Amino acid sequence: MKIIATVPEMQRYSEALRNSGKKIAFVPTMGYFHDGHLNLMREARKQGDCVVISIYVNPTQFGPSEDLEKYPRNFERDSKLAEEVGVDVIFFPSNAEMYPDHYQTYVTVEEVTKNLCGLSRPVHFRGVATVCAKLFNMVKPHMAIFGKKDFQQLVTIKRMVSDLNMDLQIFGLPTTRETDGLAMSSRNVYLSPEERQSALCLSLSLKKAKESYDQGERDAGRILESITNYIKGIPFTRIDYIKICDTTTMQDVSSLEKESVLALAVFVGSTRLIDNYVFGEELNIE
């Protein structure tokens, strides 16, 4: 496995691969891997001739009061895990490499970022879109693979790639969960044992919503009211948002006639967790 730290070297390496007819599959990450990350890499291994991942904690997607400095990092551990699942290259740039002096260009994806996380984290998606656009130009992949846990992020990246005519495919993989249903997240390590138990309210809310949908409920307001009341009764929780949105526009819907996603962001203690369920899809939660 090769580790590349500079943009010119990454671009040269990728260009040589493309010229030799190799297909590059790319997984952008912020590191501190769990099995969800590794599943994305395993899928990349199936689809590409060369698997490139990036490890970069992107400062432009964190707000001033968010957890940039305490975001978990362990490059040695991540490198070992990546090598075990067949990664060929880790792109590991510094902040100076990504955002050199006098940097001033950002990518804004307009409408699909205004709701949900865009309301409480106003700079977040500008940072996500910018760093992904930069990474796509650096790694030059044929495809990039993301998890569906951050559904709004996936929609944003797909919109950007389509709008800017970027020459790559974007794939979304189902959320990887712990055995008890909690969505895997690098932030789960922040939870105390008691908070960890309360955090199950997110996945159990999705299960409740699916059961209502399967029984014929199509009124978004009734589903949201039921879930909101449930989560408010769980210790250590504070709701950021609970919404049901159109999966294309990410705008709120009142009725589940088109494809819709239930999206949750809940603070458990001081840790902000997200989860989602697209109505009509499978949901493997016991």
Side-chain angles (χ1 to χ4, degrees):
M1 187 178 65
K2 188 176 181 64
I3 297 172
I4 296 176
T6 70
V7 174
E9 185 183 356
M10 186 70 251
Q11 289 175 323
R12 286 195 299 270
Y13 188 90
S14 293
E15 192 63 25
L17 286 171
R18 294 181 75 101
N19 287 340
S20 65
K22 301 292 188 183
K23 184 179 289 186
I24 302 169
F26 177 47
V27 181
T29 84
M30 293 206 300
Y32 210 75
F33 297 152
H34 51 67
D35 209 44
H37 295 110
L38 301 180
N39 281 342
L40 302 183
M41 298 173 205
R42 292 180 183 112
E43 182 64 22
R45 181 73 280 160
K46 293 176 188 175
Q47 296 204 32
D49 300 310
C50 179
V51 177
V52 180
I53 69 167
S54 60
I55 297 177
Y56 180 63
V57 181
N58 175 40
T60 65
Q61 68 191 65
F62 287 80
S65 62
E66 294 178 348
D67 58 352
L68 172 62
E69 294 308 317
K70 70 171 187 172
Y71 194 86
R73 298 162 171 87
N74 190 330
F75 183 77
E76 186 176 341
R77 170 184 172 274
D78 287 344
S79 299
K80 183 180 178 186
L81 291 171
E83 191 163 22
E84 287 174 357
V85 296
V87 168
D88 298 298
V89 178
I90 296 178
F91 181 44
F92 186 53
S94 65
N95 284 336
E97 195 73 17
M98 294 296 289
Y99 298 104
D101 289 344
H102 311 299
Y103 187 88
Q104 54 192 286
T105 302
Y106 295 89
V107 178
T108 302
V109 182
E110 295 282 350
E111 296 300 321
V112 297
T113 65
K114 287 183 176 178
N115 203 2
L116 305 178
C117 290
L119 294 173
S120 57
R121 307 182 70 191
V123 303
H124 176 67
F125 287 113
R126 186 184 81 152
V128 169
T130 299
V131 79
C132 285
K134 289 170 67 65
L135 287 168
F136 294 159
N137 284 330
M138 295 166 183
V139 176
K140 305 184 182 184
H142 295 83
M143 68 189 72
I145 302 173
F146 292 80
K148 288 184 177 179
K149 187 190 76 173
D150 192 335
F151 192 85
Q152 189 177 19
Q153 172 180 275
L154 179 62
V155 169
T156 299
I157 298 304
K158 285 184 172 180
R159 184 76 267 155
M160 176 186 74
V161 166
S162 175
D163 287 353
L164 298 182
N165 308 105
M166 294 181 175
D167 187 20
L168 77 159
Q169 291 179 285
I170 302 295
F171 294 97
L173 262 60
T175 301
T176 301
R177 299 183 178 278
E178 305 285 357
T179 54
D180 58 6
L182 181 67
M184 288 190 178
S185 169
S186 299
R187 290 185 169 95
N188 290 349
V189 298
Y190 300 155
L191 299 168
S192 70
E194 297 79 12
E195 291 168 349
R196 174 67 176 71
Q197 191 62 33
S198 290
L200 295 177
C201 70
L202 278 82
S203 56
L204 292 175
S205 293
L206 305 184
K207 186 178 178 183
K208 289 175 180 290
K210 182 182 186 302
E211 290 170 353
S212 295
Y213 182 83
D214 290 346
Q215 292 166 7
E217 181 63 79
R218 295 296 182 269
D219 186 288
R222 283 198 286 266
I223 294 174
L224 292 172
E225 181 180 16
S226 171
I227 292 171
T228 300
N229 290 338
Y230 165 64
I231 293 179
K232 282 183 175 178
I234 302 296
F236 309 112
T237 63
R238 176 169 60 87
I239 295 169
D240 183 354
Y241 64 74
I242 304 175
K243 288 174 174 268
I244 297 176
C245 302
D246 182 288
T247 57
T248 300
T249 66
M250 300 310 295
Q251 294 302 304
D252 295 356
V253 298
S254 58
S255 179
L256 280 63
E257 302 307 322
K258 295 181 179 179
E259 187 179 75
S260 304
V261 59
L262 168 63
L264 314 173
V266 178
F267 286 92
V268 182
S270 61
T271 305
R272 185 178 182 274
L273 302 176
I274 60 172
D275 209 339
N276 68 78
Y277 170 63
V278 176
F279 291 97
E281 292 188 353
E282 291 298 314
L283 183 64
N284 297 315
I285 297 172
E286 295 300 324

